Amino acid sequence: MKKTSMATYMPVLTKVIETTEKMGEQMNPSFEKIRKAIDDGTVDKMVPAEFNDIQMEFTDGTEQYQQNLANLKKVQAPARLIGKHRNLVAAYEKYVEACAAMTASLNIETTTVDVDAFNQAEKDQETSMDHVSNDVQRIMAMVM
């Protein structure tokens, strides 16, 4: 069995972190628009094309996160990081599920939002991203 090295593991981890941050920054303005419309009770006044664009952006972001998850599942962690890596994969998977749930809460046909599902997805994203961040920090601490 070939020994897994940090040289093969760390680039994958770094790319996942970078693309996750980039997608989050890219999607945040759209998230803020939907959040404000929900809070103001004006979702029904949104332009359908803009609502559709937001839903498509969320779909694209979720697909990127799913690709990141696939990369995390595929890469072999060095032996001393296996436990932390498994925790990271589990937390990231919950994050991806929460992103998919948020995307699914947007109904482009009726330009409506399932507010309860959206709010739950937002909470689940925050919780799981906290776990992802903690797991990454623990991995980095073990590597340094």
Side-chain angles (χ1 to χ4, degrees):
M1 188 162 117
K2 190 177 131 188
K3 188 174 179 183
T4 305
S5 72
M6 289 292 175
T8 56
Y9 178 73
M10 289 309 293
V12 173
L13 180 60
T14 301
K15 184 167 175 38
V16 166
I17 294 164
E18 287 173 355
T19 58
T20 300
E21 288 175 355
K22 184 178 174 187
M23 283 306 302
E25 289 170 8
Q26 186 178 323
M27 290 190 303
N28 192 55
S30 295
F31 167 79
E32 293 295 335
K33 283 181 190 171
I34 291 286
R35 179 80 262 164
K36 182 169 176 19
I38 290 169
D39 293 345
D40 295 346
T42 58
V43 172
D44 59 335
K45 293 180 179 37
M46 290 184 74
V47 176
E50 180 181 33
F51 190 88
N52 186 47
D53 288 347
I54 291 170
Q55 199 272 350
M56 286 175 50
E57 186 175 20
F58 281 13
T59 299
D60 292 345
T62 300
E63 288 172 2
Q64 176 64 60
Y65 296 145
Q66 288 167 337
Q67 183 60 50
N68 285 347
L69 177 61
N71 291 340
L72 281 175
K73 286 181 173 181
K74 193 169 39 178
V75 70
Q76 291 200 343
R80 67 187 176 124
L81 298 179
I82 288 174
K84 301 283 185 237
H85 178 74
R86 284 187 183 146
N87 291 342
L88 171 62
V89 170
Y92 201 91
E93 190 161 29
K94 286 182 179 158
Y95 179 71
V96 172
E97 289 168 4
C99 291
M102 181 175 281
T103 302
S105 75
L106 306 179
N107 186 329
I108 57 172
E109 291 173 17
T110 59
T111 314
T112 58
V113 177
D114 179 337
V115 176
D116 291 337
F118 186 94
N119 289 339
Q120 187 60 53
E122 182 180 10
K123 287 178 190 164
D124 293 347
Q125 283 179 21
E126 289 174 9
T127 301
S128 54
M129 188 46 69
D130 285 345
H131 289 288
V132 167
S133 296
N134 288 337
D135 292 332
V136 168
Q137 287 175 353
R138 287 185 184 112
I139 289 170
M140 292 305 200
M142 290 178 77
V143 170
M144 299 301 163

